[in-house]
Amino acid sequence: IIVEAARRLVTPQSLSGRKILVSAGPTWEPFDPVRFITNPSSGKMGYALAAEASRRGAETHLVSGPSVLCPPSGVRFHGVVTAEEMNRVVSDLAPAMDAVIMAAAVSDFRPEKAAPQKTKKDSNDLTVRLVRTPDILDGLGSRKPAGQVLVGFAAETENLLENAAEKLVRKNLDIIVANDLTQPDSGFRCDTNQVKILFRDGSIEDLPCMTKQDVARRVLDRIESLFAARERS
Amino acid sequence: IIVEAARRLVTPQSLSGRKILVSAGPTWEPFDPVRFITNPSSGKMGYALAAEASRRGAETHLVSGPSVLCPPSGVRFHGVVTAEEMNRVVSDLAPAMDAVIMAAAVSDFRPEKAAPQKTKKDSNDLTVRLVRTPDILDGLGSRKPAGQVLVGFAAETENLLENAAEKLVRKNLDIIVANDLTQPDSGFRCDTNQVKILFRDGSIEDLPCMTKQDVARRVLDRIESLFAARERS
């Protein structure tokens, strides 16, 4: 805590007066009380973004799925479990935000029904019908207030840049951070990440492998640049 | 590490010369490279058991599904992901063990097929056909060497004692630790646990809520009692 206070003292308060929402972690989509569908997200990238935003003086809201990480000091923490819950909380908070960074690895699918009791093993083979969860980022893009900076993440195992560029436009984002899941030392559960940052003007920033803290700093630097550009125009 | 060394010095080496295998954590059953079925197990109960067994001088093997916990010092760590892998590693090690404690929350079901690439969201609704994973505990029970102590866990949301007692006999266990998942401060992800320990002679030890470390000590005390009784007979 003392280290964090000292670090905050030496960090320029470049986001003071700004409100930033960061989503993080996986979501859990249950099909009975003890079984669910999820993904390997640890929340590290999102928590690093929230910590850095808070350090720079932003009013920072962290909406997180289940994670063992401790919320960074100073952030307003909103814990959720399912994609449905994350959608509700994020959609409520988003309109008042200067920037929204969707770093969560939201489950795209959920079991259609959740059984009220633990499914017994003698149920033999069974079939889980999956339905789509709400597309949170899509909703944020279509209702984006003027001036808000909306940042998405794309984690792909193939056609990374193509898929990310398409998502950036289709979802009305300002920035998309693209993660190649097939790279070592990148993506889920790692402390480091190798990403490309894509912008609406078609430019691409190709970053070397660095810690998630450093990726967070780069992303927030880019958000600050967009704030500055919008104020000038 | 110094604290652990000191603790070990003051712990009677009551399991010296014994070999104990502990399984821990959840398993992940993937249906594509970034999505899987799992459960909320953190591995805390199993890691506590392995730490205590090692402290008491046993050659301790920890076979663990994905967990953020650090393996306790002194244990031989075997990391696995799926139920299939856990089955392979546990089955290989088990014949040489004096006691096997299956504290892992192994997924009972896995997706029949795993897609080689991340499923795109435009796949619309989809159906995952689930098939049974190998029943590791059942296999251990049916091939149990003379003198080995086999310990299972039962986590239930209904009919706890009944289900646990039935499992104890059917799987040829010596001890079963029964966990009521509907109790607060008990079961998945908690640091505490409220359990009942059931034995082959029909006796039941009903423990109050205690830390998982204390539950681990009780379970190992009972295993030591069984070792002693078998040596006397």
Side-chain angles (χ1 to χ4, degrees):
Chain A
I1 293 172
I2 293 169
V3 172
E4 181 57 34
R7 198 185 245 179
R8 192 173 296 259
L9 276 175
V10 301
T11 304
Q13 297 297 289
S14 48
L15 287 171
S16 162
R18 300 288 188 183
K19 295 182 180 184
I20 296 191
L21 185 159
V22 180
S23 72
T27 62
W28 288 359
E29 309 299 331
F31 59 95
D32 77 18
V34 294
R35 296 184 180 93
F36 51 84
I37 291 174
T38 188
N39 59 64
S41 170
S42 61
K44 283 178 187 164
M45 190 64 243
Y47 280 56
L49 283 158
E52 184 62 21
S54 174
R55 232 173 256 142
R56 293 185 186 190
E59 176 188 313
T60 307
H61 294 262
L62 174 59
V63 182
S64 176
S67 169
V68 293
L69 301 176
C70 291
S73 70
V75 311
R76 307 195 187 181
F77 183 77
H78 311 261
V80 299
V81 175
T82 65
E84 196 77 51
E85 282 169 35
M86 185 173 278
N87 188 39
R88 209 158 46 228
V89 174
V90 166
S91 304
D92 279 359
L93 291 167
M97 297 291 134
D98 297 296
V100 176
I101 311 174
M102 280 294 291
V106 181
S107 296
D108 300 322
F109 299 98
R110 66 169 173 83
E112 189 176 31
K113 294 193 202 87
Q117 300 291 350
K118 181 177 173 183
T119 310
K120 297 305 292 178
K121 279 197 276 197
D122 42 28
S123 316
N124 264 319
D125 300 353
L126 50 96
T127 297
V128 177
R129 205 177 138 69
L130 300 179
V131 296
R132 290 285 309 279
T133 56
D135 189 326
I136 305 178
L137 196 52
D138 207 68
L140 294 172
S142 64
R143 294 186 305 270
K144 184 167 67 174
Q148 186 182 80
V149 174
L150 183 57
V151 182
F153 276 70
E156 301 287 347
T157 56
E158 50 183 353
N159 306 327
L160 177 65
L161 277 181
E162 207 176 312
N163 282 330
E166 187 269 331
K167 189 172 171 181
L168 174 72
V169 174
R170 178 165 45 86
K171 303 207 171 179
N172 195 26
L173 312 180
D174 301 286
I175 295 174
I176 194 161
V177 183
N179 239 325
D180 186 346
L181 295 180
T182 63
Q183 291 287 318
D185 305 321
S186 192
F188 291 125
R189 296 176 95 85
C190 289
D191 289 321
T192 56
N193 215 353
Q194 187 176 349
V195 303
K196 296 174 173 45
I197 306 181
L198 286 73
F199 301 88
R200 272 314 268 273
D201 63 6
S203 62
I204 296 175
E205 194 174 352
D206 195 342
L207 297 177
C209 186
M210 51 176 69
T211 66
K212 287 184 173 175
Q213 274 70 28
D214 285 333
V215 174
R217 284 185 201 111
R218 297 291 190 113
V219 171
L220 286 163
D221 287 347
R222 298 304 160 262
I223 292 173
E224 288 185 15
S225 305
L226 287 182
F227 285 157
R230 284 169 192 194
E231 275 174 2
R232 279 194 303 270
S233 69
Chain B
I1 293 171
I2 294 168
V3 173
E4 182 56 35
R7 199 185 245 179
R8 192 174 296 260
L9 276 175
V10 301
T11 305
Q13 298 296 290
S14 48
L15 287 171
S16 162
R18 301 287 188 183
K19 294 183 180 183
I20 295 192
L21 186 159
V22 180
S23 73
T27 63
W28 288 359
E29 309 299 330
F31 59 94
D32 76 19
V34 294
R35 297 183 180 92
F36 52 86
I37 291 175
T38 189
N39 60 65
S41 170
S42 61
K44 282 178 188 163
M45 190 64 244
Y47 280 57
L49 282 159
E52 184 62 21
S54 174
R55 231 174 256 140
R56 294 186 184 189
E59 176 188 311
T60 307
H61 295 262
L62 174 60
V63 181
S64 176
S67 169
V68 293
L69 301 176
C70 291
S73 69
V75 311
R76 308 197 186 178
F77 183 76
H78 311 262
V80 299
V81 176
T82 65
E84 197 75 49
E85 283 168 32
M86 184 173 279
N87 188 40
R88 210 158 43 227
V89 174
V90 167
S91 302
D92 278 359
L93 292 167
M97 297 291 134
D98 296 295
V100 176
I101 311 175
M102 281 293 293
V106 180
S107 296
D108 300 321
F109 299 98
R110 65 169 174 83
E112 189 176 29
K113 295 193 201 86
Q117 300 292 348
K118 182 177 172 183
T119 310
K120 299 303 294 178
K121 279 197 279 199
D122 42 27
S123 315
N124 264 320
D125 300 353
L126 52 96
T127 297
V128 178
R129 204 176 138 70
L130 301 180
V131 296
R132 291 283 309 278
T133 56
D135 189 325
I136 305 178
L137 197 52
D138 208 66
L140 294 173
S142 64
R143 294 186 304 271
K144 185 167 64 171
Q148 187 182 81
V149 173
L150 182 57
V151 182
F153 276 70
E156 302 286 346
T157 55
E158 50 184 352
N159 305 328
L160 177 63
L161 278 182
E162 207 176 313
N163 282 330
E166 188 268 331
K167 190 171 171 181
L168 174 71
V169 174
R170 179 165 45 85
K171 304 208 170 176
N172 195 24
L173 313 180
D174 300 286
I175 296 175
I176 195 161
V177 183
N179 238 325
D180 187 345
L181 295 179
T182 63
Q183 292 286 319
D185 304 322
S186 193
F188 291 127
R189 296 176 95 83
C190 290
D191 289 321
T192 55
N193 214 353
Q194 187 176 348
V195 303
K196 295 174 175 46
I197 306 181
L198 287 72
F199 302 87
R200 272 315 267 274
D201 63 5
S203 62
I204 296 175
E205 194 174 352
D206 195 343
L207 296 176
C209 187
M210 51 176 69
T211 66
K212 287 184 173 177
Q213 274 70 28
D214 284 333
V215 174
R217 282 185 202 109
R218 297 292 190 112
V219 171
L220 285 163
D221 287 348
R222 296 305 159 262
I223 293 173
E224 289 186 14
S225 303
L226 286 182
F227 285 157
R230 284 172 192 194
E231 275 174 4
R232 277 195 306 271
S233 69

